[in-house]
Amino acid sequence: SGKSRPMRILQYVQRTAVQGDANSVISAVDSYCANVEWAMNVGDMKGEILDAVVLDVRPRWVLELGTYCGYSTMRIARFLPPGARLVTLEMNHHYAQVAKQILGHAGVDAQVDLLVGTSSALIPQLKKKFDLDKFDLVFIDHWKTSYLPDTKLLEECGLLASGTVLLADNVTCPGAPDYLQYVRNSPRYKSLYFPSQLEYLQVEDGMEKSIFLG
Ligand SMILES: O=C(NCCCCCn1ccnc1)c1cc(-c2ccc(F)cc2)cc(O)c1O
Ligand SMILES: [Mg+2]
């Protein structure tokens, strides 16, 4: 039942997860996608790397590129102090609609601003829209070919400042070779690779953490 995979994930969450308990929603998504049908959430293994980075950075402002069902959005939002905000961009209306409902079930929607549109169109509007000077953390998990152009766009829009942390999913699988080459060879970044596995599978993947040096 449920016309789409995101819809089937949402229905499983609504039936099995505890309302207002983000950890139970995260677990529900992971058990559905590990046992019933695979989906492109960052997952529990890479999710623990994401958790560690969020807890270390303690960000006031977070940008996420690629919301999908809101799984990583929840993982980040549940660790944000009151007053901190998470802006997440999704170009697929259906994904965004499902994510909104999953974030609501988890009880983290108050700290999240979910914008629907392409990252290249939305990024230039963010500074003015949220009256912010820079992001403290950027989680990159959208089209793999957009990682590099959007990182350069963030630089050009003055949305990165010395110390801003970029964390990119899937740098091994499906891969983002041009992005990796850029952050690993640019003098403006200190980059480090975190080996892991593709969500719910025994396949190599990893995340790249890159600190912008200004
Ligand atoms: O394509 C991915 N994500 C982007 C989805 C569309 C983003 C749309 N958007 C949002 C904002 N601007 C644009 C992705 C893919 C895979 C994967 C891995 C192996 C495989 F065999 C098939 C797929 C694993 C992931 O973890 C991923 O994140
Ligand atoms: Mg991903």
Side-chain angles (χ1 to χ4, degrees):
S1 70
K3 285 175 294 306
S4 71
R5 187 168 310 195
M7 187 59 80
R8 292 190 291 271
I9 292 169
L10 171 61
Q11 287 174 343
Y12 184 80
V13 161
Q14 290 172 329
R15 284 195 201 114
T16 64
V18 175
Q19 173 93 29
D21 180 347
N23 288 314
S24 87
V25 177
I26 290 164
S27 301
V29 174
D30 283 331
S31 69
Y32 183 81
C33 296
N35 301 307
V36 183
E37 51 178 333
W38 186 89
M40 58 182 168
N41 316 116
V42 74
D44 46 348
M45 275 186 76
K46 290 183 290 176
E48 288 183 11
I49 299 169
L50 173 60
D51 288 355
V53 169
V54 173
L55 291 167
D56 179 54
V57 173
R58 297 171 52 76
R60 168 82 182 71
W61 283 99
V62 184
L63 175 64
E64 176 180 62
L65 304 179
T67 315
Y68 189 42
C69 296
Y71 175 90
S72 48
T73 322
M74 270 190 295
R75 289 200 79 115
I76 296 166
R78 83 196 202 282
F79 285 153
L80 292 185
R85 298 209 64 73
L86 168 49
V87 180
T88 184
L89 312 183
E90 178 51 62
M91 52 71 65
N92 181 308
H93 277 268
H94 178 62
Y95 294 172
Q97 188 52 36
V98 168
K100 260 191 176 55
Q101 296 176 79
I102 288 180
L103 294 168
H105 199 93
V108 298
D109 44 327
Q111 291 175 293
V112 177
D113 293 286
L114 171 47
L115 306 182
V116 185
T118 60
S119 46
S120 54
L122 290 171
I123 285 170
Q125 303 172 29
L126 298 177
K127 208 174 238 266
K128 202 168 181 180
K129 187 176 176 63
F130 294 100
D131 186 29
L132 63 93
D133 54 13
K134 49 113 181 174
F135 284 106
D136 305 296
L137 173 63
V138 183
F139 180 57
I140 311 172
D141 191 24
H142 60 334
W143 287 314
K144 309 315 161 195
T145 51
S146 296
Y147 282 28
L148 181 53
D150 283 351
T151 295
K152 289 180 172 172
L153 184 58
L154 287 166
E155 289 175 12
E156 288 152 21
C157 295
L159 287 165
L160 308 182
S162 177
T164 296
V165 173
L166 307 187
L167 185 66
D169 189 28
N170 311 116
V171 295
T172 297
C173 177
D178 58 342
Y179 173 80
L180 274 189
Q181 197 274 338
Y182 179 74
V183 291
R184 289 176 176 177
N185 296 285
S186 164
R188 304 185 74 186
Y189 292 91
K190 177 88 189 80
S191 210
L192 181 66
Y193 178 64
F194 289 78
S196 188
Q197 287 178 0
L198 187 63
E199 48 266 31
Y200 317 116
L201 294 174
Q202 302 274 336
V203 168
E204 186 185 344
D205 190 17
M207 303 225 273
E208 189 83 359
K209 176 187 171 187
S210 308
I211 303 174
F212 185 65
L213 303 174

